[in-house]
Amino acid sequence: MNHRIILGKTGISVSRVCFGTWQLSPRFWGEVPASDVKTAVHSAYELGINFFDTADAYGDGYGESVLGDAVRDFPRDRVVLTTKVFNHYNPDGTRYPDLSPGHIVERCEASLKRLRTDYIDLYLLHFYDQLTPLATVAETLEKLKSQGKIRHYGMSNFNIEEMRAAAAFGNFEVLEPAYSLVNLEAEQSLFPYCQARGIGVMVYSPLHKGLLTGKYKGTESFSDFRKFHPDFHGERFRLLAEAVQSLAPIAARYGLSIYQLVLAATIEHPAVHSAIAGIKTSEQVREAAGAMGKRIDRPDYFKIRQILNVSAPAKIQDAGGKVK
């Protein structure tokens, strides 16, 4: 079966699973060896994954540097690179929103250097900036596009009204929202809008920060940012973990792991072109790649949703007050 799909109206062919690098944010996930991630990137490429997602916020440039070092071994036209812009970084490690023209250009140049490339395939606004007019933001992105430094641009974490407003000023072709089978909020308005306008959708946290992988019993404790997340504590964590474990018989019928079943079901939604999997090792990338090309029957798809509908998911905010 075809493991690739055209990402909305961009015309770019991408793998149904995207290699994510949020795990290279030490403040969220702790230290992750760059060598392991580089090896995993190589394994992903060999397994047919051509789509890679990062951001200048991931480790304050570290994620881009690790990814750039890894993909330089591949023909540039064989990989699709996505990165994001939003934060202004201070010397003391603090940050604040800044999508002003000069800052976007400065950050784009820095991203190009870290990624070791002449152009970025997809350049996304990581969040919405209340102080910079959307017309100004779009004009800046169009200039970068005309200069050949970015091929397409889009947004991440925008709500529906922010997306509608952005569309009035620029050709925003891609959306990267949070979405999983226990966090279905994007289905309410974002997905219908994207389908109507031909916007490519690449969802992040499809495994809900690892909770939907099937590896937890609901009794574990965490040292990373999940120690503050309500979904990973107490009765809710136990119920969610039990629900995920109960998917095992369905997964077995398809010859898939629970992880693969959930990932395959996630990309069944017609609005979802690719699901971003946070990958640290080659073993993880092999499992993620195994979900590509797998179809889940309609009755089983809705059965999976029903099983996982324990209750509305909690959200966690980053230091800037934004949900991530």
Side-chain angles (χ1 to χ4, degrees):
M1 299 182 70
N2 193 351
H3 296 176
R4 300 281 173 88
I5 192 170
I6 300 300
L7 185 64
K9 59 186 177 184
T10 68
I12 298 177
S13 177
V14 299
S15 48
R16 300 305 307 271
V17 170
C18 176
F19 189 113
T21 61
W22 184 28
Q23 70 275 19
L24 291 169
S25 294
R27 74 190 184 107
F28 283 105
W29 297 101
E31 297 296 331
V32 176
S35 58
D36 290 354
V37 174
K38 182 177 179 179
T39 300
V41 168
H42 280 248
S43 297
Y45 183 77
E46 293 168 1
L47 291 166
I49 293 176
N50 74 330
F51 200 11
F52 299 88
D53 176 77
T54 189
D56 67 357
Y58 299 167
D60 294 359
Y62 181 59
E64 289 180 329
S65 296
V66 173
L67 181 59
D69 184 51
V71 299
R72 65 174 175 164
D73 298 325
F74 313 140
R76 180 63 185 87
D77 62 352
R78 299 290 183 87
V79 295
V80 180
L81 301 180
T82 301
T83 193
K84 311 176 195 73
V85 60
F86 178 68
N87 291 295
H88 192 117
Y89 302 93
N90 294 318
D92 64 359
T94 59
R95 55 177 73 178
Y96 59 86
D98 190 352
L99 292 179
S100 61
H103 187 252
I104 290 178
V105 172
E106 175 188 310
R107 299 309 299 174
C108 182
E109 293 291 351
S111 292
L112 287 167
K113 290 178 181 178
R114 286 191 290 262
L115 289 168
R116 305 189 184 202
T117 182
D118 295 327
Y119 64 92
I120 296 164
D121 296 287
L122 306 172
Y123 199 44
L124 308 184
L125 307 178
H126 210 154
F127 296 99
Y128 181 83
D129 173 13
Q130 291 81 3
L131 288 185
T132 308
L134 282 169
T136 303
V137 175
E139 182 181 5
T140 305
L141 294 171
E142 284 292 343
K143 285 182 179 178
L144 290 173
K145 187 175 178 180
S146 67
Q147 293 167 358
K149 294 179 179 180
I150 64 175
R151 294 178 64 193
H152 305 273
Y153 58 87
M155 63 210 89
S156 179
N157 299 299
F158 274 40
N159 64 36
I160 187 63
E161 292 305 328
E162 290 165 349
M163 287 190 68
R164 286 185 177 129
F169 299 102
N171 188 24
F172 291 83
E173 298 178 283
V174 180
L175 175 68
E176 183 179 316
Y179 177 70
S180 74
L181 296 181
V182 295
N183 179 15
L184 303 169
E185 185 177 348
E187 292 183 353
Q188 296 174 16
S189 56
L190 294 176
F191 284 0
Y193 179 83
C194 288
Q195 289 187 80
R197 296 188 65 91
I199 295 173
V201 176
M202 46 192 295
V203 298
Y204 73 80
S205 290
L207 281 305
H208 202 61
K209 304 166 184 67
L211 197 152
L212 301 183
T213 60
K215 64 183 179 181
Y216 297 121
K217 297 179 180 179
T219 57
E220 295 84 355
S221 59
F222 301 87
S223 60
D224 54 40
F225 81 102
R226 289 175 292 184
K227 66 183 177 181
F228 304 113
H229 198 304
D231 283 358
F232 292 85
H233 295 282
E235 183 68 3
R236 176 164 173 77
F237 181 36
R238 185 186 67 79
L239 289 172
L240 281 167
E242 287 181 357
V244 175
Q245 291 292 336
S246 71
L247 296 176
I250 301 176
R253 282 197 283 105
Y254 285 90
L256 302 172
S257 66
I258 292 175
Y259 178 113
Q260 292 169 330
L261 178 76
V262 171
L263 202 54
T266 301
I267 57 179
E268 280 289 339
H269 195 294
V272 178
H273 295 90
S274 187
I276 303 169
I279 296 165
K280 300 178 183 177
T281 66
S282 292
E283 181 180 32
Q284 290 174 339
V285 81
R286 281 192 290 272
E287 185 166 28
M292 295 195 299
K294 306 297 183 182
R295 298 302 306 271
I296 308 302
D297 292 341
R298 179 179 288 264
D300 287 328
Y301 171 79
F302 284 106
K303 181 65 174 178
I304 293 166
R305 288 174 63 113
Q306 180 184 30
I307 289 172
L308 294 177
N309 187 27
V310 175
S311 63
K315 296 178 181 179
I316 188 167
Q317 296 181 330
D318 69 11
K322 292 288 186 176
V323 174
K324 176 58 178 169

